[in-house]
């Protein structure tokens, strides 16, 4: 990759990591059609292509935000490789995979680890969502107030009727331990 191209690609990645709208739109504009062609030419629909591209963008976003990601190819090549891997997996899961997979882009890079890591994070997020939803009240609301709404312990004590912030903190700890128990009981099953 030429230095100017590499600098531009790194700049786009940094923009993606910052949720810079211009960088995201540029990456989307430069790469979506390639992924769409891959999916549509291989038993997919436009909606499938949008889903696959979004998942590939999330893998790239996670990598860009990690701070340790080194771009060794063009963003286009990386996204295409991730999208290809995701689409092949989806075809195999739905038994739609055909032997004559039309893959005109011969430049491939190894992204299996990235895709697997992304899928693992998604599964863990889903397990945490399930654990929170089965937690019950008032623990669910209490933890949401603290972790998602960033309410102080004093505010939580007032809203939930605890005598002081220390009692609210103790209750939060008990709820957190209960959530961990639910989460890890699901985690061990996977």
């Amino acid at each position: 990759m030429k230095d100017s191209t590499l600098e531009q690609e790194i700049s786009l990645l940094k923009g993606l990591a910052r949720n810079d709208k211009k960088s995201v739109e540029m990456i989307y504009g430069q790469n979506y059609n390639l992924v769409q062609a891959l999916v549509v030419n291989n038993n997919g629909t436009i909606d499938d292509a949008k889903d696959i591209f979004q998942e590939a963008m999330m893998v790239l976003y996670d990598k860009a935000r990690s701070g340790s990601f080194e771009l060794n190819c063009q963003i286009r090549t990386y996204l295409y490789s991730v999208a290809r891997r995701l689409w092949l997996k989806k075809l195999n899961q739905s038994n739609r995979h055909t032997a004559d997979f039309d893959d005109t882009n011969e430049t491939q890079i190894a992204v299996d680890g990235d895709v697997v890591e992304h899928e693992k994070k998604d599964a863990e997020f889903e397990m945490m969502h399930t654990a929170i939803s089965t937690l019950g009240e008032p623990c669910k609301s209490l933890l949401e107030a603290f972790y998602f709404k960033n309410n102080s312990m004093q505010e939580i004590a007032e809203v939930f009727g605890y005598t002081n912030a220390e009692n609210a903190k103790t209750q939060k700890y008990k709820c957190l331990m209960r959530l961990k128990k639910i989460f890890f009981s699901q985690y061990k099953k996977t």
Side-chain angles (χ1 to χ4, degrees):
M1 220 174 349
K2 293 180 183 175
D3 285 348
S4 61
T5 304
L6 178 62
E7 288 172 15
Q8 185 181 13
E9 299 277 292
I10 290 172
S11 174
L12 284 174
L13 271 184
K14 287 180 180 176
L16 177 64
R18 293 189 315 267
N19 287 324
D20 174 51
K21 187 177 177 182
K22 187 177 176 185
S23 297
V24 172
E25 288 175 352
M26 196 170 225
I27 292 170
Y28 190 95
Q30 291 175 349
N31 300 290
Y32 174 74
N33 287 341
L34 183 66
V35 171
Q36 180 180 310
L38 169 74
V39 172
V40 171
N41 291 335
N42 292 287
N43 298 325
T45 65
I46 298 290
D47 286 340
D48 290 331
K50 289 177 182 173
D51 290 345
I52 291 296
F53 187 77
Q54 187 63 31
E55 285 187 54
M57 283 290 287
M58 288 306 300
V59 171
L60 182 62
Y61 175 77
D62 288 344
K63 284 292 184 183
R65 289 192 52 100
S66 74
S68 60
F69 180 57
E70 287 186 33
L71 188 63
N72 296 320
C73 61
Q74 290 184 334
I75 289 174
R76 166 179 289 261
T77 304
Y78 186 84
L79 279 174
Y80 184 86
S81 296
V82 170
R84 181 181 182 277
R85 173 80 168 87
L86 290 170
W87 184 237
L88 281 171
K89 185 173 182 178
K90 196 165 193 168
L91 286 174
N92 283 331
Q93 288 173 342
S94 62
N95 293 323
R96 290 191 292 169
H97 186 255
T98 59
D100 57 341
F101 190 83
D102 181 16
D103 192 4
T104 55
N105 188 343
E106 294 179 12
T107 306
Q108 299 293 320
I109 58 169
V111 294
D112 289 354
D114 297 344
V115 173
V116 169
E117 182 182 318
H118 175 73
E119 289 172 344
K120 184 180 176 196
K121 279 185 182 177
D122 276 356
E124 288 173 351
F125 180 79
E126 187 61 36
M127 280 190 286
M128 181 55 78
H129 180 73
T130 302
I132 289 173
S133 66
T134 59
L135 189 58
E137 294 295 342
C139 281
K140 179 183 171 193
S141 296
L142 194 155
L143 292 177
E144 287 175 348
F146 184 76
Y147 289 107
F148 300 132
K149 297 177 184 171
N150 294 321
N151 291 345
S152 70
M153 293 315 297
Q154 186 59 44
E155 291 169 329
I156 291 172
E158 291 168 11
V159 169
F160 289 87
Y162 298 113
T163 53
N164 57 42
E166 282 301 312
N167 286 342
K169 190 174 179 180
T170 301
Q171 187 59 40
K172 181 189 72 99
Y173 177 78
K174 289 178 182 177
C175 290
L176 191 59
M177 290 301 106
R178 193 167 153 200
L179 178 64
K180 282 183 177 178
K181 187 175 178 181
I182 293 170
F183 176 79
F184 284 110
S185 70
Q186 293 174 353
Y187 193 82
K188 288 177 184 173
K189 291 177 185 175
T190 60

